[in-house]
């Protein structure tokens, strides 16, 4: 499967920083669903909040104080060895489906490569601001995103969104380790998607088409302060699965379907989160995690910079997202004094309407304050 697709590159910036036609705006968006008064009111409030100053509307400000809302009990995620990926899902799938995340161990990425890639990333964050935007111009959804323009620090630090090639015009930047790390993470990500869908009895929609899936490397960096409890990014981008490399043994918080949950995984493992696209594909059977893990600051080391590196297995912008199979609902019209086999009827229903991935990605990425699950507007 190709590391990047031609269709994907039609929307993402080229090496010169130019893009094709701009993404849709809410005013021109069309949806395949029926609006309700509740969703309309929520959308209006979302747009109003989005226009507030960044210091008021920034989600990461909420993440910094999220420790009181996150679970006080640290959960150890289910462990799935990469070397036994297909066989392990046969036993761990129920818990993985319910939680929306698991820990991938015994993978093929050497720790030395991961730390070299981390070093490459730190060198990018240490560049002067004008060079960051010169080498990686901001063009949704790729490029540098920082909070230097905010009137006060909101806790986001810098984020860098790269396509799977980690391309740049600069000949001065050495990104060989970052590129190799991204390629290896992508291989693992595609294998996990295939194994997960196979375990659920679903056919991979990518099939033999290498352009049906793509990936994005999302790197964040921040130096903590004593008041920070959690460090995360307020940006959200839709994905099938997210692979978050664990550079150290450290707890983090995830925004899962039931709410915030604190998890702890071992060093050099990969924390895998199931995304919103996976939930739609499974017709609601898989729980999801929104965004990326919010890292907890280590006690006694609050001044050290934290780097998080996540690879998102996602879709080309022109894709349509639909359930891969309808959910079968068994109904019994008369359950008294009747033979169950004769009276039960099975009806095939969908939990979600189909929708445009580009439209959905634009909406969730720019909605700074998540008032509710953005998939609710597409639920049947």
């Amino acid at each position: 499967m190709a590391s990047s697709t031609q269709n994907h590159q039609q929307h993402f910036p080229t090496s010169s920083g130019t893009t094709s036609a701009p993404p849709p705006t809410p005013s021109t968006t069309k949806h395949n669903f029926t609006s309700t008064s509740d969703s309309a009111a929520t959308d209006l409030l979302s747009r109003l909040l989005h226009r507030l100053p960044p210091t008021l509307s920034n989600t990461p400000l909420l993440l910094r104080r999220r420790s009181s809302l996150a679970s006080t009990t640290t959960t150890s995620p289910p462990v799935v060895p990469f070397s036994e990926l297909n066989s392990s899902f046969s036993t761990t799938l129920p818990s993985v489906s319910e939680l929306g995340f698991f820990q991938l161990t015994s993978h093929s990425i050497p720790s030395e490569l991961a730390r070299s890639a981390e070093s490459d990333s730190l060198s990018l964050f240490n560049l002067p601001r004008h060079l960051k935007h010169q080498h990686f111009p901001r063009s949704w959804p790729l490029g540098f995103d920082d909070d230097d323009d905010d009137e006060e620090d909101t806790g986001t630090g810098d984020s860098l969104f790269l396509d799977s090639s980690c391309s740049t015009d600069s000949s001065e930047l050495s990104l060989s380790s970052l590129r190799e790390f991204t390629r290896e993470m992508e291989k693992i990500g595609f294998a996990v998607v295939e194994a997960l869908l196979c375990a659920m009895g679903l056919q991979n929609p990518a099939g033999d088409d290498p352009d049906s899936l793509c990936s994005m490397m999302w790197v964040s960096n921040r130096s903590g302060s004593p008041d920070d409890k959690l460090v995360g990014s307020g940006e959200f981008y839709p994905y099938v699965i997210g692979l978050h490399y664990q550079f150290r043994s450290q707890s983090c918080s995830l925004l899962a379907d039931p709410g915030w949950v604190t998890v702890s995984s071992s060093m050099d493992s990969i924390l895998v989160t199931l995304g919103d696209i996976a939930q739609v594909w499974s017709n609601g059977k898989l729980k999801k995690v929104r965004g990326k893990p919010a890292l907890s600051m280590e006690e006694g080391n609050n001044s050290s910079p934290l780097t998080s590196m996540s690879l998102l297995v996602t879709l080309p912008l022109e894709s349509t997202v639909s359930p891969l199979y309808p959910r079968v609902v068994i109904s019994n019209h008369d359950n008294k004094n009747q033979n169950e086999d004769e009276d039960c009827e099975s009806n095939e229903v969908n939990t979600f309407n189909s929708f445009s991935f580009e439209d959905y990605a634009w909406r969730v990425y720019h909605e700074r304050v998540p008032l509710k699950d953005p998939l609710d507007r597409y639920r049947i």
Side-chain angles (χ1 to χ4, degrees):
M1 187 170 295
S3 60
S4 60
T5 68
Q6 294 178 349
N7 291 336
H8 202 202
Q9 292 170 348
Q10 291 174 1
H11 297 270
F12 281 3
T14 64
S15 58
S16 61
T18 60
T19 60
S20 58
T25 60
S27 61
T28 61
T29 294
K30 294 182 180 180
H31 302 281
N32 183 25
F33 63 94
T34 303
S35 300
T36 63
S37 59
D38 177 67
S39 63
T42 302
D43 292 342
L44 176 60
L45 184 56
S46 298
R47 290 193 293 270
L48 292 174
L49 290 173
H50 177 56
R51 295 175 183 175
L52 293 175
T55 54
L56 295 179
S57 64
N58 231 351
T59 301
L61 188 61
L62 303 178
L63 293 181
R64 294 173 61 192
R65 303 293 179 260
R66 191 62 74 177
S67 59
S68 61
L69 301 180
S71 171
T72 57
T73 302
T74 301
T75 302
S76 295
V79 175
V80 176
F82 182 72
S83 57
E84 305 172 9
L85 193 59
N86 293 303
S87 58
S88 293
F89 270 137
S90 61
T91 56
T92 59
L93 185 60
S95 57
V96 170
S97 301
E98 185 65 25
L99 293 172
F101 55 87
F102 62 93
Q103 179 181 194
L104 191 67
T105 61
S106 303
H107 55 77
S108 58
I109 299 179
S111 59
E112 295 80 6
L113 175 60
R115 276 149 186 78
S116 294
E118 182 185 30
S119 179
D120 284 355
S121 300
L122 288 174
S123 68
L124 300 180
F125 289 114
N126 290 332
L127 290 172
R129 186 170 184 268
H130 72 281
L131 290 181
K132 293 179 183 178
H133 294 280
Q134 175 183 325
H135 297 315
F136 303 95
R138 191 75 180 122
S139 182
W140 180 81
L142 300 181
F144 258 106
D145 185 20
D146 55 45
D147 57 9
D148 289 350
D149 291 333
D150 294 347
E151 295 180 1
E152 66 178 70
D153 181 15
T154 57
T156 59
D158 290 351
S159 290
L160 175 59
F161 294 82
L162 297 166
D163 60 16
S164 57
S165 66
C166 300
S167 58
T168 176
D169 283 340
S170 175
S171 60
E172 302 173 357
L173 299 176
S174 176
L175 304 179
S176 57
S177 294
L178 179 58
R179 290 191 178 99
E180 183 180 356
F181 176 76
T182 301
R183 287 194 298 268
E184 293 302 315
M185 288 278 280
E186 185 183 59
K187 292 177 184 176
I188 293 175
F190 288 155
V192 171
V193 170
E194 178 69 29
L196 179 64
L197 294 177
C198 181
M200 296 193 66
L202 301 177
Q203 185 174 0
N204 191 336
D208 297 327
D209 183 4
D211 293 343
S212 296
L213 287 178
C214 54
S215 66
M216 178 192 301
M217 176 57 73
W218 181 1
V219 189
S220 299
N221 180 64
R222 172 167 169 77
S223 295
S225 68
D227 293 333
D228 289 335
K229 301 301 182 183
L230 299 172
V231 176
S233 177
E235 296 108 348
F236 293 93
Y237 193 81
Y239 59 87
V240 182
I241 61 168
L243 279 68
H244 318 280
Y245 195 91
Q246 305 299 291
F247 289 99
R248 54 194 61 83
S249 296
Q250 188 176 26
S251 62
C252 61
S253 289
L254 305 176
L255 182 53
D257 274 344
W260 286 90
V261 57
T262 301
V263 301
S264 178
S265 52
S266 59
M267 184 171 62
D268 291 325
S269 66
I270 297 176
L271 181 62
V272 180
T273 55
L274 310 184
D276 34 12
I277 305 306
Q279 185 173 60
V280 175
W281 279 358
S282 70
N283 213 354
K285 289 188 176 182
L286 295 175
K287 297 293 178 64
K288 68 177 179 300
V289 171
R290 292 188 61 195
K292 65 190 301 184
L295 300 178
S296 299
M297 300 297 294
E298 294 179 333
E299 295 183 6
N301 197 27
N302 287 332
S303 61
S304 300
L306 285 179
T307 300
S308 62
M309 303 183 71
S310 301
L311 183 121
L312 307 182
V313 176
T314 183
L315 303 178
L317 289 174
E318 64 274 12
S319 303
T320 298
V321 185
S322 304
L324 296 185
Y325 65 62
R327 174 176 288 180
V328 178
V329 178
I330 305 298
S331 60
N332 191 343
H333 297 298
D334 183 7
N335 55 10
K336 292 182 179 180
N337 301 322
Q338 297 287 340
N339 185 291
E340 187 178 25
D341 293 335
E342 296 177 356
D343 294 330
C344 288
E345 296 181 358
S346 53
N347 300 312
E348 295 185 346
V349 298
N350 280 339
T351 303
F352 297 96
N353 284 308
S354 300
F355 56 88
S356 162
F357 177 79
E358 182 176 16
D359 176 39
Y360 177 70
W362 175 262
R363 176 179 294 275
V364 299
Y365 183 87
H366 290 89
E367 188 175 56
R368 305 295 287 180
V369 181
L371 298 176
K372 64 175 185 177
D373 185 347
L375 282 180
D376 285 350
R377 65 187 298 110
Y378 304 105
R379 293 183 188 274
I380 298 175

